[in-house]
Amino acid sequence: MQNDIQSAVGFAHAKPERAADLGKLLVDFAERSHNEPGCLGSWINQDADNPDLFVFYEVWATRTDLARHLAQPYMKEFLADRMEYLERDLEVRPLRLTGPAPAESADPAEMNQRYLDAYADRDLDAIMAVYAPGGAAVWEPGKAVSGAEHRSAVAEFLERDPRLSAEVSECYIAGDTAALVVDWSIEVPGAPEMTGSGRGFDVLRKNAAGEWRYVITNPFGSR
């Protein structure tokens, strides 16, 4: 399978007195990346034995997406000032996917079960991973959240130990876009005002790797 997927692994050796600042900065960059077109993943790791060493790994759908990311003002500013944080310059190794290539997901309705599984596991990262970069969730009629605000809302909601069930009743596909009509119910212990059921309307898009991701989840779609 031919593809234009771009990936890289990088090593950032922080000045000891700036390690905490650099770590926060890199995590913030990764979160911003997740909301940019073509970002298939961005992860920041800290060496288990050396707290001053950060290892980042990111994957982009195309070279154009990667170039757009590097041209973002926050990236250009960091790259210009990076030695304020680093003991030595960044080491970045571009990678080429040799296989296996990401498998295409033929049925967008499968994402509904993946969403439910992530909630059942109380896995915040897995929940956010079902969304496309910049994807939005409607948390109350007329108000959608995305990015860091969405992640914060999900994290707070998980603390309530919600019990969610949902079934896709209708699925429509037009090219790389799909729409799901979903019948759902939710129980939130100790919060009867948040417990109930309804019919939602979700929109998904297939990314460059052939994977379906939510663009909008709207549990109030029938209103």
PDB file of all heavy atoms in Angstrom, residues 161-195:
ATOM      1  N   ASP A 161     -18.323   8.612  37.086  1.00  0.00           N
ATOM      2  CA  ASP A 161     -18.556   7.191  36.839  1.00  0.00           C
ATOM      3  C   ASP A 161     -19.813   6.940  35.998  1.00  0.00           C
ATOM      4  O   ASP A 161     -20.690   6.158  36.387  1.00  0.00           O
ATOM      5  CB  ASP A 161     -18.657   6.429  38.171  1.00  0.00           C
ATOM      6  CG  ASP A 161     -18.549   4.914  37.979  1.00  0.00           C
ATOM      7  OD1 ASP A 161     -17.893   4.475  37.016  1.00  0.00           O
ATOM      8  OD2 ASP A 161     -19.127   4.170  38.787  1.00  0.00           O
ATOM      9  N   PRO A 162     -19.917   7.574  34.821  1.00  0.00           N
ATOM     10  CA  PRO A 162     -21.111   7.405  33.987  1.00  0.00           C
ATOM     11  C   PRO A 162     -21.194   6.001  33.389  1.00  0.00           C
ATOM     12  O   PRO A 162     -20.169   5.364  33.117  1.00  0.00           O
ATOM     13  CB  PRO A 162     -20.921   8.455  32.896  1.00  0.00           C
ATOM     14  CG  PRO A 162     -19.434   8.576  32.765  1.00  0.00           C
ATOM     15  CD  PRO A 162     -18.912   8.435  34.177  1.00  0.00           C
ATOM     16  N   ARG A 163     -22.415   5.532  33.179  1.00  0.00           N
ATOM     17  CA  ARG A 163     -22.650   4.239  32.538  1.00  0.00           C
ATOM     18  C   ARG A 163     -23.422   4.494  31.256  1.00  0.00           C
ATOM     19  O   ARG A 163     -24.578   4.910  31.289  1.00  0.00           O
ATOM     20  CB  ARG A 163     -23.414   3.318  33.484  1.00  0.00           C
ATOM     21  CG  ARG A 163     -22.617   3.041  34.773  1.00  0.00           C
ATOM     22  CD  ARG A 163     -23.484   2.544  35.897  1.00  0.00           C
ATOM     23  NE  ARG A 163     -22.756   2.570  37.163  1.00  0.00           N
ATOM     24  CZ  ARG A 163     -23.319   2.334  38.342  1.00  0.00           C
ATOM     25  NH1 ARG A 163     -24.614   2.060  38.412  1.00  0.00           N
ATOM     26  NH2 ARG A 163     -22.596   2.388  39.434  1.00  0.00           N
ATOM     27  N   LEU A 164     -22.749   4.247  30.144  1.00  0.00           N
ATOM     28  CA  LEU A 164     -23.254   4.650  28.844  1.00  0.00           C
ATOM     29  C   LEU A 164     -23.536   3.445  27.968  1.00  0.00           C
ATOM     30  O   LEU A 164     -22.765   2.484  27.927  1.00  0.00           O
ATOM     31  CB  LEU A 164     -22.210   5.552  28.164  1.00  0.00           C
ATOM     32  CG  LEU A 164     -22.493   6.059  26.755  1.00  0.00           C
ATOM     33  CD1 LEU A 164     -23.699   6.994  26.767  1.00  0.00           C
ATOM     34  CD2 LEU A 164     -21.263   6.782  26.216  1.00  0.00           C
ATOM     35  N   SER A 165     -24.661   3.493  27.267  1.00  0.00           N
ATOM     36  CA  SER A 165     -24.957   2.496  26.241  1.00  0.00           C
ATOM     37  C   SER A 165     -25.469   3.240  25.016  1.00  0.00           C
ATOM     38  O   SER A 165     -26.070   4.318  25.133  1.00  0.00           O
ATOM     39  CB  SER A 165     -26.001   1.484  26.727  1.00  0.00           C
ATOM     40  OG  SER A 165     -27.238   2.108  26.975  1.00  0.00           O
ATOM     41  N   ALA A 166     -25.201   2.692  23.844  1.00  0.00           N
ATOM     42  CA  ALA A 166     -25.623   3.353  22.607  1.00  0.00           C
ATOM     43  C   ALA A 166     -25.671   2.338  21.476  1.00  0.00           C
ATOM     44  O   ALA A 166     -24.850   1.414  21.419  1.00  0.00           O
ATOM     45  CB  ALA A 166     -24.654   4.489  22.255  1.00  0.00           C
ATOM     46  N   GLU A 167     -26.635   2.520  20.603  1.00  0.00           N
ATOM     47  CA  GLU A 167     -26.794   1.618  19.464  1.00  0.00           C
ATOM     48  C   GLU A 167     -27.052   2.443  18.212  1.00  0.00           C
ATOM     49  O   GLU A 167     -27.888   3.354  18.213  1.00  0.00           O
ATOM     50  CB  GLU A 167     -27.951   0.653  19.707  1.00  0.00           C
ATOM     51  CG  GLU A 167     -28.142  -0.362  18.585  1.00  0.00           C
ATOM     52  CD  GLU A 167     -29.223  -1.369  18.915  1.00  0.00           C
ATOM     53  OE1 GLU A 167     -29.620  -1.454  20.105  1.00  0.00           O
ATOM     54  OE2 GLU A 167     -29.676  -2.061  17.991  1.00  0.00           O
ATOM     55  N   VAL A 168     -26.314   2.118  17.153  1.00  0.00           N
ATOM     56  CA  VAL A 168     -26.497   2.810  15.882  1.00  0.00           C
ATOM     57  C   VAL A 168     -27.754   2.279  15.208  1.00  0.00           C
ATOM     58  O   VAL A 168     -27.863   1.084  14.920  1.00  0.00           O
ATOM     59  CB  VAL A 168     -25.274   2.613  14.963  1.00  0.00           C
ATOM     60  CG1 VAL A 168     -25.526   3.268  13.601  1.00  0.00           C
ATOM     61  CG2 VAL A 168     -24.018   3.194  15.610  1.00  0.00           C
ATOM     62  N   SER A 169     -28.702   3.167  14.952  1.00  0.00           N
ATOM     63  CA  SER A 169     -29.943   2.748  14.297  1.00  0.00           C
ATOM     64  C   SER A 169     -29.922   3.033  12.797  1.00  0.00           C
ATOM     65  O   SER A 169     -30.611   2.356  12.027  1.00  0.00           O
ATOM     66  CB  SER A 169     -31.146   3.449  14.939  1.00  0.00           C
ATOM     67  OG  SER A 169     -31.042   4.854  14.820  1.00  0.00           O
ATOM     68  N   GLU A 170     -29.133   4.031  12.379  1.00  0.00           N
ATOM     69  CA  GLU A 170     -29.027   4.355  10.959  1.00  0.00           C
ATOM     70  C   GLU A 170     -27.593   4.796  10.663  1.00  0.00           C
ATOM     71  O   GLU A 170     -26.959   5.457  11.488  1.00  0.00           O
ATOM     72  CB  GLU A 170     -29.997   5.473  10.579  1.00  0.00           C
ATOM     73  CG  GLU A 170     -31.459   5.156  10.821  1.00  0.00           C
ATOM     74  CD  GLU A 170     -32.363   6.331  10.524  1.00  0.00           C
ATOM     75  OE1 GLU A 170     -32.187   6.944   9.445  1.00  0.00           O
ATOM     76  OE2 GLU A 170     -33.221   6.645  11.377  1.00  0.00           O
ATOM     77  N   CYS A 171     -27.105   4.439   9.469  1.00  0.00           N
ATOM     78  CA  CYS A 171     -25.755   4.810   9.049  1.00  0.00           C
ATOM     79  C   CYS A 171     -25.789   5.193   7.573  1.00  0.00           C
ATOM     80  O   CYS A 171     -26.287   4.418   6.741  1.00  0.00           O
ATOM     81  CB  CYS A 171     -24.786   3.653   9.287  1.00  0.00           C
ATOM     82  SG  CYS A 171     -23.101   3.958   8.698  1.00  0.00           S
ATOM     83  N   TYR A 172     -25.255   6.362   7.256  1.00  0.00           N
ATOM     84  CA  TYR A 172     -25.231   6.842   5.882  1.00  0.00           C
ATOM     85  C   TYR A 172     -23.801   7.253   5.528  1.00  0.00           C
ATOM     86  O   TYR A 172     -23.135   7.927   6.314  1.00  0.00           O
ATOM     87  CB  TYR A 172     -26.167   8.031   5.704  1.00  0.00           C
ATOM     88  CG  TYR A 172     -27.588   7.725   6.116  1.00  0.00           C
ATOM     89  CD1 TYR A 172     -28.057   8.104   7.377  1.00  0.00           C
ATOM     90  CD2 TYR A 172     -28.450   7.047   5.272  1.00  0.00           C
ATOM     91  CE1 TYR A 172     -29.354   7.820   7.771  1.00  0.00           C
ATOM     92  CE2 TYR A 172     -29.755   6.750   5.653  1.00  0.00           C
ATOM     93  CZ  TYR A 172     -30.202   7.141   6.909  1.00  0.00           C
ATOM     94  OH  TYR A 172     -31.478   6.845   7.302  1.00  0.00           O
ATOM     95  N   ILE A 173     -23.334   6.848   4.342  1.00  0.00           N
ATOM     96  CA  ILE A 173     -21.966   7.135   3.909  1.00  0.00           C
ATOM     97  C   ILE A 173     -22.004   7.838   2.564  1.00  0.00           C
ATOM     98  O   ILE A 173     -22.697   7.395   1.639  1.00  0.00           O
ATOM     99  CB  ILE A 173     -21.136   5.846   3.788  1.00  0.00           C
ATOM    100  CG1 ILE A 173     -21.111   5.095   5.123  1.00  0.00           C
ATOM    101  CG2 ILE A 173     -19.707   6.171   3.341  1.00  0.00           C
ATOM    102  CD1 ILE A 173     -20.435   3.742   5.044  1.00  0.00           C
ATOM    103  N   ALA A 174     -21.254   8.944   2.464  1.00  0.00           N
ATOM    104  CA  ALA A 174     -21.089   9.659   1.202  1.00  0.00           C
ATOM    105  C   ALA A 174     -19.608   9.979   1.040  1.00  0.00           C
ATOM    106  O   ALA A 174     -19.093  10.923   1.646  1.00  0.00           O
ATOM    107  CB  ALA A 174     -21.927  10.938   1.180  1.00  0.00           C
ATOM    108  N   GLY A 175     -18.910   9.144   0.288  1.00  0.00           N
ATOM    109  CA  GLY A 175     -17.473   9.338   0.122  1.00  0.00           C
ATOM    110  C   GLY A 175     -16.728   9.151   1.422  1.00  0.00           C
ATOM    111  O   GLY A 175     -16.808   8.088   2.044  1.00  0.00           O
ATOM    112  N   ASP A 176     -16.007  10.186   1.853  1.00  0.00           N
ATOM    113  CA  ASP A 176     -15.227  10.084   3.092  1.00  0.00           C
ATOM    114  C   ASP A 176     -15.968  10.672   4.288  1.00  0.00           C
ATOM    115  O   ASP A 176     -15.364  10.930   5.334  1.00  0.00           O
ATOM    116  CB  ASP A 176     -13.869  10.776   2.929  1.00  0.00           C
ATOM    117  CG  ASP A 176     -13.997  12.277   2.685  1.00  0.00           C
ATOM    118  OD1 ASP A 176     -15.139  12.775   2.524  1.00  0.00           O
ATOM    119  OD2 ASP A 176     -12.956  12.960   2.637  1.00  0.00           O
ATOM    120  N   THR A 177     -17.281  10.887   4.147  1.00  0.00           N
ATOM    121  CA  THR A 177     -18.094  11.438   5.231  1.00  0.00           C
ATOM    122  C   THR A 177     -19.224  10.480   5.566  1.00  0.00           C
ATOM    123  O   THR A 177     -19.795   9.848   4.673  1.00  0.00           O
ATOM    124  CB  THR A 177     -18.689  12.808   4.836  1.00  0.00           C
ATOM    125  OG1 THR A 177     -17.619  13.699   4.484  1.00  0.00           O
ATOM    126  CG2 THR A 177     -19.483  13.415   5.981  1.00  0.00           C
ATOM    127  N   ALA A 178     -19.514  10.331   6.840  1.00  0.00           N
ATOM    128  CA  ALA A 178     -20.584   9.430   7.283  1.00  0.00           C
ATOM    129  C   ALA A 178     -21.409  10.103   8.366  1.00  0.00           C
ATOM    130  O   ALA A 178     -20.924  10.991   9.086  1.00  0.00           O
ATOM    131  CB  ALA A 178     -20.005   8.123   7.817  1.00  0.00           C
ATOM    132  N   ALA A 179     -22.664   9.698   8.451  1.00  0.00           N
ATOM    133  CA  ALA A 179     -23.569  10.205   9.485  1.00  0.00           C
ATOM    134  C   ALA A 179     -24.205   9.019  10.197  1.00  0.00           C
ATOM    135  O   ALA A 179     -24.640   8.062   9.547  1.00  0.00           O
ATOM    136  CB  ALA A 179     -24.640  11.107   8.875  1.00  0.00           C
ATOM    137  N   LEU A 180     -24.245   9.084  11.516  1.00  0.00           N
ATOM    138  CA  LEU A 180     -24.851   8.033  12.325  1.00  0.00           C
ATOM    139  C   LEU A 180     -26.008   8.599  13.139  1.00  0.00           C
ATOM    140  O   LEU A 180     -25.887   9.679  13.726  1.00  0.00           O
ATOM    141  CB  LEU A 180     -23.824   7.429  13.296  1.00  0.00           C
ATOM    142  CG  LEU A 180     -22.524   6.865  12.727  1.00  0.00           C
ATOM    143  CD1 LEU A 180     -21.669   6.329  13.880  1.00  0.00           C
ATOM    144  CD2 LEU A 180     -22.798   5.783  11.706  1.00  0.00           C
ATOM    145  N   VAL A 181     -27.107   7.863  13.155  1.00  0.00           N
ATOM    146  CA  VAL A 181     -28.202   8.156  14.077  1.00  0.00           C
ATOM    147  C   VAL A 181     -28.092   7.143  15.206  1.00  0.00           C
ATOM    148  O   VAL A 181     -28.057   5.933  14.963  1.00  0.00           O
ATOM    149  CB  VAL A 181     -29.567   8.048  13.379  1.00  0.00           C
ATOM    150  CG1 VAL A 181     -30.693   8.295  14.383  1.00  0.00           C
ATOM    151  CG2 VAL A 181     -29.655   9.041  12.218  1.00  0.00           C
ATOM    152  N   VAL A 182     -27.963   7.625  16.437  1.00  0.00           N
ATOM    153  CA  VAL A 182     -27.613   6.776  17.571  1.00  0.00           C
ATOM    154  C   VAL A 182     -28.651   6.907  18.680  1.00  0.00           C
ATOM    155  O   VAL A 182     -28.958   8.017  19.142  1.00  0.00           O
ATOM    156  CB  VAL A 182     -26.220   7.143  18.131  1.00  0.00           C
ATOM    157  CG1 VAL A 182     -25.852   6.236  19.287  1.00  0.00           C
ATOM    158  CG2 VAL A 182     -25.168   7.073  17.029  1.00  0.00           C
ATOM    159  N   ASP A 183     -29.195   5.766  19.109  1.00  0.00           N
ATOM    160  CA  ASP A 183     -30.082   5.729  20.276  1.00  0.00           C
ATOM    161  C   ASP A 183     -29.235   5.418  21.505  1.00  0.00           C
ATOM    162  O   ASP A 183     -28.537   4.396  21.539  1.00  0.00           O
ATOM    163  CB  ASP A 183     -31.156   4.661  20.090  1.00  0.00           C
ATOM    164  CG  ASP A 183     -32.103   4.997  18.949  1.00  0.00           C
ATOM    165  OD1 ASP A 183     -32.542   6.158  18.871  1.00  0.00           O
ATOM    166  OD2 ASP A 183     -32.382   4.105  18.127  1.00  0.00           O
ATOM    167  N   TRP A 184     -29.271   6.286  22.492  1.00  0.00           N
ATOM    168  CA  TRP A 184     -28.375   6.152  23.636  1.00  0.00           C
ATOM    169  C   TRP A 184     -29.143   6.271  24.949  1.00  0.00           C
ATOM    170  O   TRP A 184     -30.253   6.786  25.014  1.00  0.00           O
ATOM    171  CB  TRP A 184     -27.283   7.226  23.599  1.00  0.00           C
ATOM    172  CG  TRP A 184     -27.817   8.634  23.571  1.00  0.00           C
ATOM    173  CD1 TRP A 184     -28.084   9.405  22.479  1.00  0.00           C
ATOM    174  CD2 TRP A 184     -28.170   9.442  24.704  1.00  0.00           C
ATOM    175  NE1 TRP A 184     -28.583  10.636  22.843  1.00  0.00           N
ATOM    176  CE2 TRP A 184     -28.647  10.686  24.201  1.00  0.00           C
ATOM    177  CE3 TRP A 184     -28.138   9.231  26.084  1.00  0.00           C
ATOM    178  CZ2 TRP A 184     -29.076  11.705  25.048  1.00  0.00           C
ATOM    179  CZ3 TRP A 184     -28.576  10.243  26.921  1.00  0.00           C
ATOM    180  CH2 TRP A 184     -29.033  11.467  26.415  1.00  0.00           C
ATOM    181  N   SER A 185     -28.490   5.762  25.978  1.00  0.00           N
ATOM    182  CA  SER A 185     -28.982   5.975  27.337  1.00  0.00           C
ATOM    183  C   SER A 185     -27.779   6.116  28.256  1.00  0.00           C
ATOM    184  O   SER A 185     -26.706   5.576  27.974  1.00  0.00           O
ATOM    185  CB  SER A 185     -29.867   4.806  27.809  1.00  0.00           C
ATOM    186  OG  SER A 185     -29.114   3.609  27.883  1.00  0.00           O
ATOM    187  N   ILE A 186     -27.959   6.857  29.321  1.00  0.00           N
ATOM    188  CA  ILE A 186     -26.852   7.090  30.240  1.00  0.00           C
ATOM    189  C   ILE A 186     -27.381   7.150  31.666  1.00  0.00           C
ATOM    190  O   ILE A 186     -28.472   7.657  31.921  1.00  0.00           O
ATOM    191  CB  ILE A 186     -26.093   8.389  29.882  1.00  0.00           C
ATOM    192  CG1 ILE A 186     -24.803   8.506  30.677  1.00  0.00           C
ATOM    193  CG2 ILE A 186     -26.961   9.616  30.095  1.00  0.00           C
ATOM    194  CD1 ILE A 186     -23.867   9.573  30.163  1.00  0.00           C
ATOM    195  N   GLU A 187     -26.584   6.596  32.562  1.00  0.00           N
ATOM    196  CA  GLU A 187     -26.894   6.646  33.988  1.00  0.00           C
ATOM    197  C   GLU A 187     -25.695   7.231  34.715  1.00  0.00           C
ATOM    198  O   GLU A 187     -24.568   6.749  34.550  1.00  0.00           O
ATOM    199  CB  GLU A 187     -27.204   5.256  34.524  1.00  0.00           C
ATOM    200  CG  GLU A 187     -27.524   5.224  36.013  1.00  0.00           C
ATOM    201  CD  GLU A 187     -27.738   3.821  36.548  1.00  0.00           C
ATOM    202  OE1 GLU A 187     -27.794   2.878  35.733  1.00  0.00           O
ATOM    203  OE2 GLU A 187     -27.833   3.675  37.779  1.00  0.00           O
ATOM    204  N   VAL A 188     -25.928   8.264  35.485  1.00  0.00           N
ATOM    205  CA  VAL A 188     -24.856   8.905  36.249  1.00  0.00           C
ATOM    206  C   VAL A 188     -25.210   8.793  37.724  1.00  0.00           C
ATOM    207  O   VAL A 188     -26.151   9.451  38.194  1.00  0.00           O
ATOM    208  CB  VAL A 188     -24.680  10.380  35.849  1.00  0.00           C
ATOM    209  CG1 VAL A 188     -23.533  11.002  36.640  1.00  0.00           C
ATOM    210  CG2 VAL A 188     -24.447  10.510  34.357  1.00  0.00           C
ATOM    211  N   PRO A 189     -24.512   7.949  38.477  1.00  0.00           N
ATOM    212  CA  PRO A 189     -24.830   7.764  39.898  1.00  0.00           C
ATOM    213  C   PRO A 189     -24.848   9.091  40.657  1.00  0.00           C
ATOM    214  O   PRO A 189     -23.931   9.897  40.537  1.00  0.00           O
ATOM    215  CB  PRO A 189     -23.692   6.853  40.388  1.00  0.00           C
ATOM    216  CG  PRO A 189     -23.262   6.105  39.163  1.00  0.00           C
ATOM    217  CD  PRO A 189     -23.393   7.095  38.041  1.00  0.00           C
ATOM    218  N   GLY A 190     -25.909   9.284  41.412  1.00  0.00           N
ATOM    219  CA  GLY A 190     -26.010  10.487  42.218  1.00  0.00           C
ATOM    220  C   GLY A 190     -26.371  11.739  41.456  1.00  0.00           C
ATOM    221  O   GLY A 190     -26.378  12.833  42.039  1.00  0.00           O
ATOM    222  N   ALA A 191     -26.661  11.603  40.173  1.00  0.00           N
ATOM    223  CA  ALA A 191     -27.005  12.782  39.376  1.00  0.00           C
ATOM    224  C   ALA A 191     -28.191  12.473  38.475  1.00  0.00           C
ATOM    225  O   ALA A 191     -28.037  12.272  37.271  1.00  0.00           O
ATOM    226  CB  ALA A 191     -25.801  13.236  38.560  1.00  0.00           C
ATOM    227  N   PRO A 192     -29.379  12.397  39.040  1.00  0.00           N
ATOM    228  CA  PRO A 192     -30.561  12.061  38.230  1.00  0.00           C
ATOM    229  C   PRO A 192     -30.810  13.050  37.110  1.00  0.00           C
ATOM    230  O   PRO A 192     -31.389  12.692  36.083  1.00  0.00           O
ATOM    231  CB  PRO A 192     -31.694  12.069  39.261  1.00  0.00           C
ATOM    232  CG  PRO A 192     -31.175  12.883  40.401  1.00  0.00           C
ATOM    233  CD  PRO A 192     -29.715  12.628  40.447  1.00  0.00           C
ATOM    234  N   GLU A 193     -30.374  14.299  37.284  1.00  0.00           N
ATOM    235  CA  GLU A 193     -30.577  15.294  36.235  1.00  0.00           C
ATOM    236  C   GLU A 193     -29.739  15.007  34.996  1.00  0.00           C
ATOM    237  O   GLU A 193     -30.013  15.527  33.901  1.00  0.00           O
ATOM    238  CB  GLU A 193     -30.256  16.704  36.767  1.00  0.00           C
ATOM    239  CG  GLU A 193     -28.781  17.011  36.973  1.00  0.00           C
ATOM    240  CD  GLU A 193     -28.196  16.401  38.250  1.00  0.00           C
ATOM    241  OE1 GLU A 193     -28.948  15.708  38.970  1.00  0.00           O
ATOM    242  OE2 GLU A 193     -27.015  16.642  38.516  1.00  0.00           O
ATOM    243  N   MET A 194     -28.705  14.173  35.133  1.00  0.00           N
ATOM    244  CA  MET A 194     -27.853  13.824  34.004  1.00  0.00           C
ATOM    245  C   MET A 194     -28.173  12.443  33.452  1.00  0.00           C
ATOM    246  O   MET A 194     -27.560  11.998  32.487  1.00  0.00           O
ATOM    247  CB  MET A 194     -26.371  13.873  34.422  1.00  0.00           C
ATOM    248  CG  MET A 194     -25.932  15.223  34.953  1.00  0.00           C
ATOM    249  SD  MET A 194     -24.193  15.250  35.452  1.00  0.00           S
ATOM    250  CE  MET A 194     -23.380  15.150  33.850  1.00  0.00           C
ATOM    251  N   THR A 195     -29.102  11.750  34.070  1.00  0.00           N
ATOM    252  CA  THR A 195     -29.485  10.407  33.647  1.00  0.00           C
ATOM    253  C   THR A 195     -30.657  10.490  32.673  1.00  0.00           C
ATOM    254  O   THR A 195     -31.593  11.263  32.877  1.00  0.00           O
ATOM    255  CB  THR A 195     -29.875   9.561  34.866  1.00  0.00           C
ATOM    256  OG1 THR A 195     -28.726   9.401  35.713  1.00  0.00           O
ATOM    257  CG2 THR A 195     -30.381   8.195  34.442  1.00  0.00           C
TER     258      THR A 195
END
